[in-house]
Amino acid sequence: MKKITDFIVRRRNIIMVVFIFFAIVSVFLSQQVKINYEMTEYLPSDSETKIGMDIMEKEFDEEKESYLNIMFKNLTEDEKDNMYKKILEIDGVSSVDYEKESEEYNSNEYTLYVINVDDTDDSETAATVYDTVNNEFKDYEFYTSGSIKDRNMTILPTWILVLAVAIVAIILIIMCESYIEPFLFLVCIGIAVLLNNGTNIIFGTVSNITSSISAILQLALSMDYSIMLINRYRQEKEKNNNNVEAMKEALYKSFSSIFSSLTTIVGLITLVFMSFTIGKDLGLVLAKGVLLSLLVIFTCLPALILIFDKLITKTKKKAPKITLNHLGNFIYKFRSIGFIL
């Protein structure tokens, strides 16, 4: 193992460039991964719901129509007519329900249009209409509802992902001993997330739920390995003035701790045994994500730390020292009561 860790540190820059290249390729590959919005496909074949739906599909023809309500706020009279024409021109829209003089479609400052699509709500046509509406009218204040939105909406909105990453960054900035360290951690996890999204192409299809939440869960499950490595590097620097040699030792001595993540990977893989097969979908993607995070942290983070070592030193700061001795003593003292509770 010492030879492997020494090789990683010695060839760190080449390895990092390779990972960045594959991360860029993964951005394009991720666009080819089909997102499955049909949750009923993950139901076990012997469930009453699945059996009932199979009978219904066999006995009745599926209605090839769907709809999307879009309500605008504060449109002028001229804009109302123009908006109707714009919506009608969208590819995939078969008709638009709207009457300018009707209170059913006009209420105070709100204007409602009902978009009809001659295809199912899980079709590519419906998805195209939904995406076009959100892109075309992003400068307006509007709200959507209906079967097409229910099927195509993102489980976890982008703003929640941004907020989560921001919270993680703030906590890391407070707790780390340098202002630079948190950004190095996030860069590594970002590369791993891109690789995970791109390599989902091996599955062909992933569920909407998995696609929406896998990135933030991968971040949560993987961040501590970065902290382990840089803490070990800091300890080794105190013994060795040569940064490269210190990193070799840090990487070697962190190996067992970091690879304890294999328990996390195995735990995620056990989700494949769920009868509701969304567990298999989510478990495999997240297990692969944690493994890729581990590889990136073990190969790219050493290069980033050594590249920015001087900057890390210059931006060094005091980090809060939180001790849990009192909590540990309390838990130990009342351990019997705690066990019973």
Side-chain angles (χ1 to χ4, degrees):
M1 185 51 63
K2 191 71 168 66
K3 290 182 179 180
I4 295 175
T5 54
D6 286 355
F7 174 81
I8 290 171
V9 176
R10 191 167 61 251
R11 303 295 183 186
R12 60 190 180 276
N13 293 330
I14 296 174
I15 293 172
M16 186 175 67
V17 170
V18 170
F19 270 92
I20 291 173
F21 170 77
F22 282 115
I24 294 171
V25 172
S26 294
V27 173
F28 298 98
L29 290 178
S30 63
Q31 305 302 315
Q32 308 303 316
V33 179
K34 185 180 178 182
I35 307 300
N36 186 6
Y37 296 90
E38 185 54 74
M39 290 298 101
T40 57
E41 291 186 10
Y42 297 98
L43 289 171
S45 58
D46 58 350
S47 73
E48 291 185 1
T49 303
K50 180 65 173 175
I51 293 171
M53 292 190 68
D54 289 343
I55 294 172
M56 186 170 65
E57 289 178 5
K58 180 180 178 181
E59 298 295 333
F60 300 96
D61 292 331
E62 184 179 12
E63 290 189 9
K64 292 211 167 190
E65 59 182 29
S66 51
Y67 71 97
L68 177 68
N69 299 320
I70 176 168
M71 183 177 70
F72 291 91
K73 186 176 181 180
N74 295 326
L75 291 181
T76 65
E77 292 301 314
D78 289 338
E79 284 179 328
K80 291 179 181 180
D81 292 329
N82 291 333
M83 191 62 67
Y84 173 78
K85 294 175 182 176
K86 284 182 180 179
I87 296 173
L88 199 56
E89 291 173 354
I90 294 175
D91 287 340
V93 173
S94 57
S95 64
V96 178
D97 297 338
Y98 173 71
E99 293 179 16
K100 191 173 182 179
E101 306 301 327
S102 172
E103 293 183 358
E104 184 180 351
Y105 299 98
N106 298 276
S107 177
N108 298 320
E109 69 268 38
Y110 297 101
T111 307
L112 174 67
Y113 303 90
V114 180
I115 301 172
N116 300 302
V117 176
D118 287 338
D119 210 336
T120 57
D121 49 25
D122 61 343
S123 64
E124 289 188 12
T125 304
T128 300
V129 170
Y130 182 73
D131 291 339
T132 303
V133 164
N134 283 284
N135 293 327
E136 186 77 18
F137 307 121
K138 59 185 177 183
D139 295 330
Y140 293 88
E141 184 176 354
F142 70 93
Y143 311 88
T144 55
S145 66
S147 63
I148 293 177
K149 179 180 180 177
D150 293 341
R151 185 56 63 93
N152 291 279
M153 67 183 294
T154 303
I155 297 295
L156 201 63
T158 304
W159 70 267
I160 292 182
L161 294 176
V162 173
L163 179 63
V165 172
I167 291 173
V168 170
I170 291 170
I171 293 173
L172 288 173
I173 289 171
I174 293 172
M175 299 303 297
C176 287
E177 295 186 17
S178 166
Y179 289 109
I180 297 300
E181 290 174 8
F183 299 102
L184 302 185
F185 299 161
L186 291 173
V187 167
C188 281
I189 299 298
I191 292 172
V193 167
L194 292 177
L195 289 171
N196 194 36
N197 289 341
T199 52
N200 283 340
I201 198 168
I202 64 176
F203 303 126
T205 302
V206 296
S207 73
N208 186 30
I209 292 176
T210 300
S211 175
S212 298
I213 68 175
S214 61
I216 196 65
L217 287 178
Q218 186 179 347
L219 170 67
L221 291 168
S222 308
M223 183 57 70
D224 50 342
Y225 308 128
S226 300
I227 299 169
M228 289 179 190
L229 178 58
I230 202 162
N231 283 341
R232 174 60 69 177
Y233 172 67
R234 194 177 290 113
Q235 293 168 9
E236 293 301 324
K237 274 187 70 177
E238 294 176 359
K239 305 175 187 176
N240 194 330
N241 292 326
N242 187 311
N243 292 344
V244 174
E245 293 302 318
M247 179 56 74
K248 288 179 180 180
E249 284 299 313
L251 199 59
Y252 175 69
K253 293 179 179 179
S254 298
F255 184 83
S256 59
S257 298
I258 292 176
F259 267 80
S260 64
S261 63
L262 292 176
T263 58
T264 305
I265 295 170
V266 172
L268 291 167
I269 290 176
T270 60
L271 292 175
V272 304
F273 298 106
M274 285 176 59
S275 58
F276 185 37
T277 55
I278 191 71
K280 177 181 178 181
D281 187 80
L282 184 60
L284 290 176
V285 170
L286 282 178
K288 176 166 62 66
V290 173
L291 179 60
L292 287 169
S293 294
L294 183 65
L295 290 174
V296 172
I297 290 166
F298 212 66
T299 55
C300 292
L301 187 57
L304 288 172
I305 292 173
L306 290 173
I307 289 171
F308 292 97
D309 184 77
K310 291 183 179 178
L311 193 57
I312 291 172
T313 303
K314 286 182 180 179
T315 58
K316 194 173 181 180
K317 66 179 184 66
K318 287 187 177 180
K321 301 295 182 183
I322 299 175
T323 59
L324 300 176
N325 294 340
H326 293 298
L327 178 61
N329 292 334
F330 174 81
I331 292 172
Y332 181 76
K333 184 177 180 180
F334 296 99
R335 61 192 181 280
S336 299
I337 296 174
F339 175 74
I340 293 170
L341 289 174

